Structures are given as structure tokens and as C-alpha cells.
Amino acid sequence: MVKINNETNGETMTMRFVQPYSNMTARMLLVVAVLMTLFTLNAYAADKTLSVSTDRQKVEMGDVINLVVQTNFQTFDDLDLSPLKDQFKVLGTQRSTNVSIVNGNYQALTRWDISITPKQIGELMVPPLTVDGIDSQPYKLFVSPMTQAGKQGVSFLESSISTHKAYVQQQVIYTLKYYHLGRFIDGSIRPPIFKDAINKQLKNQVNYQKDINGQRYEVYEWSWAFYPQKSGTLTIPPEQFDGRLQYRGIIKMIRNNSKAITLTVMPQNANYPKDKTWLPTPNLTLTQDWQMPNSLRVGDSITRTIHLQAQNLMSSQLPDISLDDQASFHVYPDDPKLSDQEVDSGINSAKTVKMAIVPLESGKITLPPITINWWNTQTQKMETATLPAKTLDVLPALKPQTNLTPLDQPNKPINQQVSHETSSKVSGIAWLWPALTAAFALLWLLTAMLYWRERQKKTFTTNAMTPTDSTGQSASSFERFHPSLERICALCAESNAKGTYQAFNQWSQAFPANAQAFLAINGNMALVNRLKAHLFHQEALDDALLPSFCQALKASEKQKTKVVKQQEGRQLDPIYPE
């Protein structure tokens, strides 16, 4: 007992806390245990039975039958179903236990629900089954043939092809349809087998309804496009569907088969060129797009995009489209882009080829035509798609602008005036000049002698103390380069890849010997190719590429200058001829 005082009202409230009914709970559990024991003994004292029943005894071939096996007692033994497998196919089994107490009477039941279907027509017998030593009685079933719903039946499988005669590598559409009445429960069908053919599925289980002979069927449709790779006779074997339907309240096991289909495959037409890709199609188109500057010059880039489209062919069947390098231009193609589009008539394919074309010389440049042969499957004739030749007018490259200060400048009037004034002042002290000249001559002789002695003693010390730049070259070896080369390096410093490439092309055309010497050095051609890859193949530009390009050019020019200076006794052409 716990007391709680309420000082405000002067009242005392009393609350009682009751301890858990530990003794009462124990008594209840004991009573339940005794009752369970009595009920169990009473159940085992009664007669044990094992019964077998079905929802109907007259069935049709293909019907799914629910066989109920039930005991009047609780058991933990398994039911042996092996005796059923002689005349029935066991589809599935479920087990349940039911315990009930009604008016003090305890009852425990064990039940098995077994789905079976007959294997043959006639009078079949469910043999005795045994559980816990108790046997069931034999049970008869009467199996009749499956009832046909009109001419088509409860269900059927239908296959077809778009044509029974086709060329090798020509598209053929194979369609498979499953029709049924009633409610579809489950089923399976394997994909068709196309021997010596490439195939691709188009429709995967399209569902719709169709009325046939006054009956409304549910239809499931599948379709494939296949391309025979070998001439001769191609046979598509029958397809088989296995499943379950509920028709007129009865579950039926269904097995339907389609018919085998034969296709005649013709070889490539004899008049078709042997060196061309065989393209059997009802339609093929070849088009192109151009992107180029208004004034095309040497070193500029032209973008040419070619589109090839074909009906009823896969993109893997389309031929390669290419343009080779020539003396007047270089070609930098991208990887082709392929696509396939599934339509009602099959597969339509496309190939897109994009290339960059860079003119190497001015004047008129002619790009050759591109032709593709194809076989029209509708007219049974060969046709040719052509992109005509194209002539380009290429202007010379713009020469780099150089601002060179003349080395010899004319004398100005102010200089003449200063020179005249100086002469008038010096004439008054002419005696001083001979003395100064003699003194300077003596000093020059002394300096020359000292310099000769020190040079003999400290040759290596002098070389070691010569100041160098960051590349290890002597500070006195810094050279001035040709303005066109300086312009390339200036564009490199601005990270102007396109301008660098154009300036390099202009320099190469102006000084081909220098360019040849540059490209002959190991690693320099790789720098040029990396620059092309960025400009014409959309590859990322490495931050170190342009500075390395400039350094490589300067190193090549220094090496060439060194070779020229080392060759003595013969007249050489200048590095940069006028």
C-alpha cells in the first residue's frame, strides 16, 4: 500500500499496486497441459482413417485434378506419392494441419492437396496411399479425350514467315502466336531455332484478342527477324507450348505444337560485283553534309558527314565508307556510329561516318566519288547509290605578319647638328688624342697577355662557371628564331591549338627541309599526331602538349643551326632562304 498526500486540498489519496498473478498463471498452464493430454489420448483411442477424394471423377485429357488426401488424426509422417506416378503426373503438393475444439471435443486433421493430370485416356485408378501405417481405398477416375471448341480447339499454336523464298542475308520475319480460350494460368515456350542464320527478337509477348468462328481468343505474339547465311533449304522446327488454362471452371494442362516451316534461300545474284558488299534490301539511301569556312585555305579543316540508311538490314551488314589520303589533302576519320531501329516491317539500320579533311596545297582539289551497290529485293535488280565527286577551291595559307625594325636607319638632322658642334669643340684640344691613343694601346697589350695566360690555366674552370638557363644551355647560346617559328610558339603560349596547327603547316610549306628535319627527330611525329587527334577526333588537349611542341621546334632549329656551323670548307644554303 502506497499513500500520496495532496497538501493543497488536505486530502489523502490511496493507490493499491497488485503483484503479478504468478500463481494463477502456473495453474492455468497446468490445466491446459492436462486437457491437451486427455484430448490426445482420446484422439489416439479413436479409429484412424485415411480418405481420398477429388472435385469430380469424370475428367478430360489435359484437366488438372485436385486430389485431396486427409487423415482424421494429426501426423508428422510424409505421404508417399510414388504410386501415383504410373498413371498421373504430379504437378504440386500442399500440406496443412487443422486443430479444433468444439463443445469440448478435440479434433486434429492432416491434409494434402495434390495437383495431378492424367497421362492417358480411359478408366484410371488412384492406388491406395499409406500414412502412419493407415491405407486409403482405391479411387477411380474416368478420363475422356479433350473437347474441341469449334475447329481450333481450346488453344492452339501458330507460326508463319514473311516469305518462303529469300536471298542469302535477306531479312525474313518469323512470327509465333499462341491462341487460347478461358483464363491463362501459366506456361512456357522455348525460342525458335534458326540454323545457319543470324536472328534478333522484335516483339516479346504482345497480348491482344481475336475473334475466330464466333469465339474470342486471347492471343500472345512473338516475332523475330532472321538473316540466312547459307543458301539452300532452311527448316525451322515446330515450336511447343506447355501450360495451364482454366476453361469453363476446369483447370486444364495444355500442350500445343506448331508446324515446321521450310524456307528456300537463294545465293547472291551472279551479276552482282564480287568485290562489293552484298546488300539485299528494298531501299537504301546515301547522303552527306558539309561544314567548311567561306574561304577555304591551306591548313583549314573541312568536316564531311556521310549518312547511309538501309531498310530490313542490320547495321553490322552495312559496308565500310572511307576516303584515303592523297598528296593534296589529309583525311582524319572518326569511328563510325551504328544504329538499329525496330519497326513493324523489321529492322532499319543506319551508319554515320564523320571525317575531317585538311587541304595541303592551294588550287583546285577534287574529292573522288563514293559509290555503294545494293540489290533491290522488290525489283530484283542491282542499283547504285552515289555521292558525286566534289571540287574544292583552296586559297594559299595566310603568311604570318612580322614587324621587323630595320638595322640601318637614316641619320636625322638633329644628329648632324650635334656632330658638328662636337667637332668644333674638340679641335681646340687636338694634342690630347695622340697621348690617349698610346696609353690605350699599351693597356690593350697588357690585357691580351694576361688573358692568354689565364685561358691556358683555367679552361675547365671557365666552362664550369658559365651561367646556364633552365634547359642547361649557356646563357650566351640563346638564339633568335625565324618570325614564323616565333609565331608558332606564341600561339602555343596562348593555348591556341588550331592556330598552332595552321601556323605549323604554313611553316612546313615555306621551309620543307626544316620540317622534314623536325619530323625525323624521335618523338616529334607523335606530338603532331596528338595535336591532330585533339583537332579532328575531339580528344582532350593535354596542358603540356603545346609547350612541348614549341620546345621541340626550337630544339630542332638549334640542332640544324649547329650542323650548319660545324660544316666548313663548302658553301651551304641558308637555313631560311629568302
Side-chain angles (χ1 to χ4, degrees):
M1 182 85 59
V2 179
K3 292 184 178 181
I4 300 177
N5 295 327
N6 190 334
E7 298 178 355
T8 305
N9 299 327
E11 298 178 355
T12 301
M13 298 178 62
T14 303
M15 300 182 65
R16 184 184 300 274
F17 292 86
V18 181
Q19 295 180 354
Y21 290 94
S22 57
N23 295 334
M24 185 179 296
T25 302
R27 292 172 184 173
M28 290 183 65
L29 292 174
L30 179 61
V31 171
V32 171
V34 172
L35 290 175
M36 291 289 292
T37 303
L38 293 176
F39 290 153
T40 303
L41 292 175
N42 183 41
Y44 275 97
D47 294 335
K48 298 180 179 180
T49 60
L50 180 64
S51 62
V52 175
S53 63
T54 60
D55 53 347
R56 63 194 186 281
Q57 284 187 280
K58 292 183 178 182
V59 298
E60 292 181 359
M61 191 65 183
D63 288 357
V64 177
I65 307 165
N66 186 30
L67 178 66
V68 179
V69 180
Q70 182 173 291
T71 66
N72 65 345
F73 57 90
Q74 186 175 11
T75 180
F76 299 98
D77 284 357
D78 293 328
L79 177 63
D80 184 14
L81 300 178
S82 59
L84 292 173
K85 296 181 179 180
D86 184 31
Q87 296 182 325
F88 301 91
K89 182 179 180 180
V90 179
L91 305 177
T93 303
Q94 289 184 343
R95 175 175 176 164
S96 62
T97 300
N98 183 28
V99 178
S100 63
I101 301 176
V102 180
N103 296 328
N105 294 323
Y106 172 83
Q107 187 177 12
L109 303 175
T110 301
R111 172 171 171 160
W112 289 265
D113 289 273
I114 309 165
S115 297
I116 60 175
T117 185
K119 292 183 177 180
Q120 60 192 45
I121 299 172
E123 184 180 301
L124 304 183
M125 186 71 69
V126 176
L129 302 176
T130 302
V131 174
D132 216 5
I134 307 298
D135 295 332
S136 67
Q137 296 297 321
Y139 188 81
K140 289 184 180 181
L141 288 172
F142 301 94
V143 182
S144 61
M146 181 184 298
T147 302
Q148 298 295 320
K151 296 181 179 180
Q152 303 297 338
V154 175
S155 64
F156 62 96
L157 194 61
E158 180 182 80
S159 60
S160 63
I161 55 178
S162 58
T163 180
H164 287 271
K165 193 174 183 181
Y167 286 99
V168 65
Q169 297 183 3
Q170 180 181 344
Q171 175 187 275
V172 181
I173 303 297
Y174 176 84
T175 304
L176 187 63
K177 297 180 181 180
Y178 172 66
Y179 299 79
H180 75 85
L181 299 175
R183 184 175 69 88
F184 178 82
I185 298 177
D186 56 32
S188 63
I189 187 171
R190 61 178 176 81
I193 298 175
F194 303 102
K195 187 178 180 180
D196 296 326
I198 299 173
N199 72 88
K200 184 176 183 180
Q201 187 168 6
L202 300 177
K203 294 180 181 179
N204 184 16
Q205 193 169 304
V206 178
N207 180 235
Y208 56 91
Q209 294 181 339
K210 185 176 183 179
D211 291 335
I212 301 176
N213 297 328
Q215 300 276 3
R216 176 161 294 183
Y217 284 82
E218 290 286 333
V219 184
Y220 293 89
E221 180 178 331
W222 302 265
S223 63
W224 290 261
F226 71 96
Y227 303 82
Q229 301 297 302
K230 184 180 179 181
S231 60
T233 301
L234 187 151
T235 301
I236 303 174
E239 296 303 317
Q240 180 175 294
F241 176 83
D242 291 295
R244 294 188 299 169
L245 297 175
Q246 185 177 17
Y247 181 65
R248 295 179 179 176
I250 300 174
I251 297 177
K252 294 179 176 289
M253 284 292 298
I254 300 296
R255 171 171 286 182
N256 299 115
N257 294 281
S258 64
K259 296 180 180 180
I261 295 179
T262 301
L263 173 68
T264 300
V265 183
M266 298 177 292
Q268 176 179 321
N269 188 273
N271 296 327
Y272 197 86
K274 301 299 182 182
D275 58 340
K276 300 295 182 181
T277 303
W278 171 249
L279 299 174
T281 172
N283 189 29
L284 183 144
T285 59
L286 184 64
T287 59
Q288 64 180 345
D289 299 324
W290 294 90
Q291 293 180 2
M292 65 177 66
N294 295 330
S295 298
L296 181 61
R297 295 183 178 275
V298 173
D300 288 345
S301 175
I302 308 168
T303 301
R304 184 185 192 182
T305 306
I306 300 175
H307 307 276
L308 175 61
Q309 297 177 331
Q311 293 182 6
N312 300 349
L313 288 178
M314 294 191 297
S315 59
S316 58
Q317 297 177 266
L318 300 180
D320 293 334
I321 301 175
S322 62
L323 179 63
D324 296 332
D325 289 343
Q326 294 188 10
S328 57
F329 60 86
H330 279 320
V331 181
Y332 305 94
D334 289 345
D335 292 333
K337 295 182 179 180
L338 305 177
S339 63
D340 291 316
Q341 182 182 9
E342 298 175 6
V343 295
D344 293 339
S345 60
I347 297 177
N348 291 342
S349 59
K351 173 180 280 191
T352 301
V353 177
K354 189 175 183 180
M355 61 184 71
I357 303 173
V358 179
L360 300 179
E361 59 184 34
S362 60
K364 292 187 178 296
I365 296 177
T366 300
L367 304 179
I370 295 178
T371 60
I372 294 180
N373 299 104
W374 58 284
W375 184 262
N376 193 323
T377 55
Q378 293 180 336
T379 63
Q380 301 298 313
K381 294 181 180 179
M382 186 184 73
E383 298 189 18
T384 302
T386 304
L387 294 178
K390 186 177 182 64
T391 301
L392 304 175
D393 292 325
V394 183
L395 301 176
L398 292 175
K399 295 183 178 180
Q401 296 180 357
T402 57
N403 296 323
L404 301 179
T405 303
L407 297 179
D408 297 329
Q409 295 184 356
N411 293 330
K412 297 181 180 180
I414 186 172
N415 294 338
Q416 295 177 357
Q417 181 179 357
V418 171
S419 178
H420 175 72
E421 292 177 354
T422 304
S423 300
S424 61
K425 293 180 180 179
V426 173
S427 61
I429 52 175
W431 61 269
L432 185 60
W433 288 108
L436 292 175
T437 300
F440 280 117
L442 180 62
L443 291 173
W444 182 83
L445 291 174
L446 292 174
T447 303
M449 293 176 63
L450 292 174
Y451 173 76
W452 181 80
R453 292 181 60 185
E454 292 297 325
R455 184 177 180 182
Q456 296 296 324
K457 294 180 180 180
K458 299 181 179 180
T459 300
F460 296 102
T461 304
T462 302
N463 292 337
M465 296 178 61
T466 302
T468 59
D469 61 3
S470 59
T471 62
Q473 297 180 352
S474 172
S476 62
S477 65
F478 285 117
E479 299 177 357
R480 292 184 60 186
F481 297 96
H482 193 271
S484 61
L485 200 67
E486 295 288 357
R487 179 170 177 265
I488 295 175
C489 288
L491 292 170
C492 289
E494 297 172 0
S495 298
N496 187 345
K498 181 177 180 181
T500 299
Y501 183 72
Q502 291 177 343
F504 174 74
N505 282 339
Q506 295 168 3
W507 174 78
S508 301
Q509 295 174 21
F511 309 105
N514 298 51
Q516 185 176 3
F518 168 75
L519 296 176
I521 298 176
N522 186 26
N524 288 354
M525 180 60 75
L527 293 175
V528 176
N529 291 335
R530 288 170 58 191
L531 183 58
K532 292 179 182 179
H534 167 68
L535 294 175
F536 307 121
H537 298 281
Q538 289 77 46
E539 293 188 10
L541 179 64
D542 188 356
D543 294 338
L545 176 59
L546 294 181
S548 300
F549 192 77
C550 173
Q551 293 177 6
L553 280 171
K554 289 185 175 181
S556 174
E557 291 300 289
K558 291 178 181 179
Q559 179 66 23
K560 188 171 180 61
T561 303
K562 182 178 179 181
V563 171
V564 171
K565 290 182 177 180
Q566 288 178 349
Q567 298 189 28
E568 300 177 355
R570 57 187 179 131
Q571 185 68 25
L572 298 178
D573 294 334
I575 299 178
Y576 290 100
E578 296 297 335

